[in-house]
């Protein structure tokens, strides 16, 4: 469930390529029957940068003088809708697609975008996407049994489809990034803009990129930032709770105070919003560290732990205890 699942991780479900842990699939099979305004919302952020909300990780895009650069592709079935929303803003061709990480709710639309765009990501994204069929075949059958036993039909169906996909896909057919980088990459799209792509310390996964539009002062955080939503920390995908702190500190030190910030999930916000999320991670780590130092077992800690200040965050019931367990494992 790592790869695919991971993608799915959040409120999402992975589709085509990666996997994530235990998020319940959201049943929205009839996307094509619904009007676009109930699926997509475009938010202009100035200087030709936009946030696009749909189903899956938030998309960002920049309209340059010659071409459009897009960040993340959500799912295969919504990707054509993403493209048509961008076409409403500009008739310039989509030339680049940046994947912030390998999860299916961020890369599932790659199969559509690869027909016209160069797909770019950190090295580990490609590695994990290409390895995903093997991972699914190894890990999903047990999850499927569990889902069936729990009567979780939507999850069982999703897992079944993933297993079928893994059994028939050829690795060379996977819509993985074709241009990968190690620590930093810059795109010079014209219009006075410079697009900075930074690989951060392992946080959500070990292949996380954040994207900063220098002129527009817009930062797309991918899943290194969940705004008012409890994050999924994909440990099997190389993620880490302590790594989140390191990653967030690094990026907070780099961007200007008036930056606009697109999170992987949740609404666009500012540096204060990003700091609030950092505080959540710090508070979980602090609670785990204190419990461990006091000799409390992991089981007892996870059972008892509660951070009421974050109860209104989306996914508190689903993922908070997982975050706490991860934080305990990483505490000394
Ligand atoms: Zn993710």
């Amino acid at each position: 469930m790592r790869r695919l699942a991971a993608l799915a991780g959040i409120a999402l479900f992975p589709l085509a390529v990666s996997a994530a842990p235990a998020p319940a699939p959201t049943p929205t099979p009839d996307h094509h029957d619904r009007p676009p305004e109930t699926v997509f919302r475009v938010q202009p952020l100035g200087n030709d940068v936009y946030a696009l909300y749909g189903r899956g990780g938030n998309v960002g895009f920049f309209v340059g003088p010659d071409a459009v650069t897009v960040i993340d592709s959500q799912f295969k079935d919504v990707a054509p809708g993403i493209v048509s929303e961008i076409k409403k803003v500009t008739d310039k061709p989509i030339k680049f697609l940046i994947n912030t990480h390998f999860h299916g709710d961020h890369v599932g639309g790659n199969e559509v975008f690869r027909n016209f765009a160069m797909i770019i990501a950190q090295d580990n994204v490609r590695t994990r996407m290409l390895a995903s069929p093997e991972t699914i075949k190894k890990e999903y059958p047990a999850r499927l049994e569990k889902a069936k036993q729990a009567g979780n039909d939507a999850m069982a169906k999703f897992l079944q489809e993933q297993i079928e996909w893994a059994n028939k896909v050829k690795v060379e057919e996977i819509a993985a990034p074709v241009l990968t980088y190690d620590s930093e990459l810059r795109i010079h799209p014209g219009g006075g803009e410079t697009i900075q792509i930074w690989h951060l310390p392992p946080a959500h996964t070990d292949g996380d990129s954040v994207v900063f539009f220098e002129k527009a002062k817009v930062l797309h955080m991918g899943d290194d930032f969940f705004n008012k939503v409890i994050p999924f920390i994909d440990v099997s995908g190389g993620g880490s709770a302590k790594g989140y702190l390191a990653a967030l500190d690094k990026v907070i030190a780099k961007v200007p105070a008036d930056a606009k910030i697109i999170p992987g999930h949740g609404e666009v916000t500012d540096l204060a919003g990003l700091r609030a999320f950092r505080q959540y991670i710090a508070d979980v780590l602090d609670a785990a560290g204190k419990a461990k130092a006091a000799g409390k077992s992991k089981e007892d800690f996870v059972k008892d732990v509660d951070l009421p200040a974050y109860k209104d965050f989306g996914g508190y019931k689903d993922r908070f205890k997982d975050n706490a367990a991860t934080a305990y494992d990483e505490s000394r």
Side-chain angles (χ1 to χ4, degrees):
M1 136 153 339
R2 298 63 252 216
R3 344 202 84 113
L4 297 179
L7 350 141
I10 294 313
L12 7 137
F13 21 159
L15 276 203
V17 189
S18 331
T26 309
T28 47
D30 57 347
H31 156 71
H32 294 292
D33 300 332
R34 291 187 285 139
E37 61 269 25
T38 67
V39 181
F40 300 110
R41 183 161 47 96
V42 173
Q43 182 178 354
L45 298 174
N47 287 291
D48 303 309
V49 178
Y50 299 79
L52 193 164
Y53 305 91
R55 183 165 55 78
N58 293 332
V59 168
F61 65 95
F62 168 72
V63 180
D66 306 315
V68 180
T69 299
V70 181
I71 303 166
D72 284 344
S73 61
Q74 298 195 344
F75 296 106
K76 188 180 178 184
D77 67 326
V78 290
I82 293 169
V83 172
S84 63
E85 291 298 308
I86 294 170
K87 295 286 174 212
K88 286 183 199 167
V89 174
T90 178
D91 56 5
K92 306 245 165 69
I94 297 171
K95 210 150 131 189
F96 299 109
L97 172 68
I98 302 162
N99 289 153
T100 58
H101 62 292
F102 75 97
H103 289 164
D105 58 315
H106 296 257
V107 305
N110 283 12
E111 288 185 55
V112 171
F113 280 84
R114 73 165 154 192
N115 296 312
F116 44 79
M118 157 120 18
I119 304 180
I120 302 166
Q122 206 275 338
D123 297 326
N124 294 336
V125 175
R126 179 177 167 85
T127 304
R128 288 193 179 275
M129 283 179 72
L130 296 183
S132 64
E134 284 315 308
T135 308
I136 289 169
K137 283 190 261 184
K138 214 163 56 194
E139 298 172 7
Y140 279 33
R143 283 185 72 197
L144 176 61
E145 275 320 299
K146 250 182 157 172
K148 282 181 179 166
Q149 280 165 19
N152 188 344
D153 294 344
M155 179 57 87
K157 178 167 177 280
F158 164 73
L159 293 168
Q160 184 66 51
E161 287 169 0
Q162 290 289 303
I163 292 167
E164 283 163 18
W165 172 81
N167 279 324
K168 69 168 196 279
V169 73
K170 295 193 180 74
V171 169
E172 61 271 22
E173 291 171 354
I174 294 174
V178 296
L179 178 65
T180 66
Y181 78 99
D182 179 3
S183 59
E184 290 193 11
L185 184 70
R186 276 161 288 281
I187 298 176
H188 305 276
E193 186 56 272
T194 300
I195 305 173
Q196 299 274 359
I197 310 174
W198 300 320
H199 176 44
L200 296 181
H204 183 62
T205 72
D206 61 8
D208 302 338
S209 290
V210 299
V211 182
F212 182 58
F213 297 88
E214 275 187 0
K215 181 181 167 191
K217 296 199 250 185
V218 174
L219 174 68
H220 190 304
M221 285 291 293
D223 282 359
D224 276 4
F225 179 26
F226 288 65
N227 187 20
K228 296 195 165 77
V229 176
I230 300 294
F232 164 52
I233 304 173
D234 186 4
V235 175
S236 63
S240 154
K242 282 190 175 168
Y244 255 103
L245 274 195
L248 292 167
D249 286 341
K250 194 168 171 186
V251 79
I252 286 168
K254 273 169 108 112
V255 299
D258 56 348
K260 293 170 185 164
I261 305 182
I262 306 172
H265 298 274
E267 296 287 318
V268 168
T269 183
D270 55 14
L271 214 47
L274 185 59
R275 286 208 177 92
F277 176 67
R278 185 207 180 277
Q279 190 60 50
Y280 164 75
I281 299 285
D283 287 348
V284 177
L285 282 164
D286 185 55
K290 282 183 177 143
K292 202 163 188 173
K296 196 160 188 168
S297 73
K298 181 177 172 181
E299 290 66 29
D300 286 346
F301 168 65
V302 170
K303 180 158 62 66
D304 297 342
V305 66
D306 193 20
L307 293 178
Y310 302 103
K311 275 216 162 79
D312 292 339
F313 278 31
Y316 187 86
K317 274 206 187 82
D318 298 328
R319 290 183 299 277
F320 171 64
K321 299 278 185 180
D322 290 341
N323 287 183
T326 298
Y328 186 95
D329 289 340
E330 292 180 21
S331 297
R332 261 173 246 146

